[in-house]
Amino acid sequence: MADWQVLEPSDRHSLYRADRHGLRFKIKTAGFGPYILLTASHKPGMQLYKIILGQESKVMNLCEGTEMKFPSRCIANFLDFKHLWITWYNNKIKVGMIGEQIPFLEYDRLYTEPSIGYVQFKGSCRHGAPIEWIVESSPVMLKTVAMRKFKDKLCWLPLDNGKLPHDAMVGGFENELTYIARAHHNNSLCPGKYVPSTGLAFVPWGHREHSKREFEILCGFNAKWVTTKCNYIPSNSYVGGYSEIQNEPLYIGRAMYDGKLLVGKVHVRYDLCYLPYKGREVEISTYEILVIPGEGIRQSVPPQQMLFLN
């Protein structure tokens, strides 16, 4: 299950690294107009969007000085905790209630650059009423930007007594954050996704989605996503596993499908990205692939046994 963190008053002006396109949170206040700030990844002090929540929610584009309003009939007040999700990808910011796929706020003027990298939860409403925030734990919380502690290299780790490793890499969003995982299946080491609410990983293989109880989670932050298609694989793409055929490398890919950001494997033999979703193996020809920053980085195929599997 996902970890949730109650924000203390001293945390209310902290920056939370959140450059993986979404998060979930709970909010309670007797006041009106609680809001969230989204700031730039390259310059955390640069405020990009202010999202005000309430019966009439609002997105303020702080760079343009413009705003858009969205009636929110599902939110009469915040006297009891409201469970919400927010995503930002595909040129849109969306906010909705947890358990409901249709957002009550959909802002379609999201910049590609500068990109969103941090979230700030404000401690009080416009009239001074305090706000209680409970946030799904992100991989890294930054009291100040100078406190970044990222791993230099990516690594694979198992869950720690059922909990995600501290710096687990978020890969997608399916009504909750999903993480990059891999597991053995039919003589392959197959990249896929970990869905915290299920406690399981899911990998695509043989036209089906397969659930796994034993798996590893990709950890670290020294990586980025780049768009590609078919069998064009950048030389610095990260090798996440190997196939059952001649031990060929498998890469980590993701793509939008059915309104979800799904994570799976890239198999160069078949020129496609394969995504596990609702029991099926979805095939996508245009997708994002995970790469290590830098040029011409070569890697070996991972060993055929993961350390935690005997």
Side-chain angles (χ1 to χ4, degrees):
M1 300 295 288
D3 292 331
W4 293 84
Q5 178 176 350
V6 178
L7 300 193
E8 302 297 334
S10 59
D11 295 329
R12 302 291 169 79
H13 297 287
S14 299
L15 289 172
Y16 287 75
R17 184 176 178 87
D19 56 356
R20 304 299 178 183
H21 300 288
L23 55 82
R24 301 191 299 174
F25 60 94
K26 305 175 186 179
I27 178 174
K28 178 180 177 181
T29 182
F32 297 93
Y35 65 93
I36 297 170
L37 289 171
L38 303 178
T39 71
S41 57
H42 74 288
K43 187 178 180 181
M46 180 181 180
Q47 298 177 356
L48 302 178
Y49 305 95
K50 181 177 181 179
I51 301 172
I52 302 173
L53 302 170
Q55 287 182 312
E56 185 177 70
S57 296
K58 184 186 302 184
V59 176
M60 301 177 66
N61 187 320
L62 301 177
C63 296
E64 292 182 353
T66 59
E67 65 179 52
M68 291 182 66
K69 298 179 180 179
F70 303 86
S72 310
R73 297 182 180 88
C74 59
I75 301 179
N77 55 60
F78 292 98
L79 296 177
D80 298 312
F81 273 110
K82 298 294 189 296
H83 298 204
L84 305 177
W85 55 264
I86 179 172
T87 62
W88 50 91
Y89 59 82
N90 200 25
N91 300 116
K92 293 181 180 180
I93 296 174
K94 299 180 182 181
V95 182
M97 305 289 290
I98 290 179
E100 298 181 8
Q101 295 190 21
I102 299 176
F104 61 77
L105 181 156
E106 185 168 340
Y107 177 79
D108 60 2
R109 298 186 62 183
L110 177 64
Y111 292 133
T112 302
E113 293 294 339
S115 61
I116 295 169
Y118 299 89
V119 178
Q120 189 174 28
F121 299 92
K122 302 307 290 184
S124 60
C125 296
R126 287 173 292 178
H127 302 295
I131 307 172
E132 296 180 60
W133 297 97
I134 303 177
V135 182
E136 186 175 29
S137 297
S138 58
V140 175
M141 188 191 81
L142 305 179
K143 291 291 185 181
T144 64
V145 176
M147 290 181 65
R148 296 187 195 185
K149 294 182 179 179
F150 301 158
K151 288 186 180 297
D152 292 333
K153 295 182 179 180
L154 301 182
C155 65
W156 295 92
L157 296 173
L159 296 184
D160 182 9
N161 292 321
K163 294 185 177 181
L164 280 167
H166 176 68
D167 49 1
M169 180 176 289
V170 177
F173 191 86
E174 300 177 45
N175 298 325
E176 63 179 295
L177 296 177
T178 61
Y179 298 82
I180 301 169
R182 70 179 184 182
H184 282 291
H185 185 80
N186 198 25
N187 298 317
S188 72
L189 180 55
C190 188
K193 66 185 180 184
Y194 169 64
V195 182
S197 62
T198 67
L200 300 172
F202 298 87
V203 299
W205 195 93
H207 307 293
R208 293 179 55 195
E209 174 187 61
H210 302 270
S211 62
K212 298 291 179 178
R213 295 188 179 278
E214 293 186 310
F215 52 88
E216 291 179 315
I217 300 293
L218 185 61
C219 300
F221 296 90
N222 185 36
K224 66 178 182 179
W225 298 96
V226 298
T227 302
T228 187
K229 64 186 301 183
C230 299
N231 66 345
Y232 178 73
I233 306 298
S235 63
N236 57 337
S237 297
Y238 182 69
V239 177
Y242 54 81
S243 75
E244 71 283 2
I245 302 174
Q246 298 179 355
N247 204 34
E248 296 169 322
L250 297 177
Y251 301 94
I252 298 167
R254 71 178 185 181
M256 290 295 300
Y257 182 81
D258 193 25
K260 312 293 194 304
L261 185 60
L262 307 178
V263 181
K265 69 180 181 183
V266 177
H267 198 316
V268 294
R269 175 181 286 265
Y270 304 111
D271 300 347
L272 292 169
C273 177
Y274 296 91
L275 307 171
Y277 184 61
K278 291 187 175 180
R280 299 187 296 121
E281 181 183 57
V282 178
E283 300 177 357
I284 301 290
S285 60
T286 299
Y287 53 91
E288 289 183 306
I289 192 167
L290 192 69
V291 304
I292 300 174
E295 297 183 359
I297 298 173
R298 297 292 180 180
Q299 307 160 73
S300 60
V301 174
Q304 293 196 10
Q305 292 294 327
M306 293 186 288
L307 293 178
F308 76 98
L309 293 177
N310 296 319

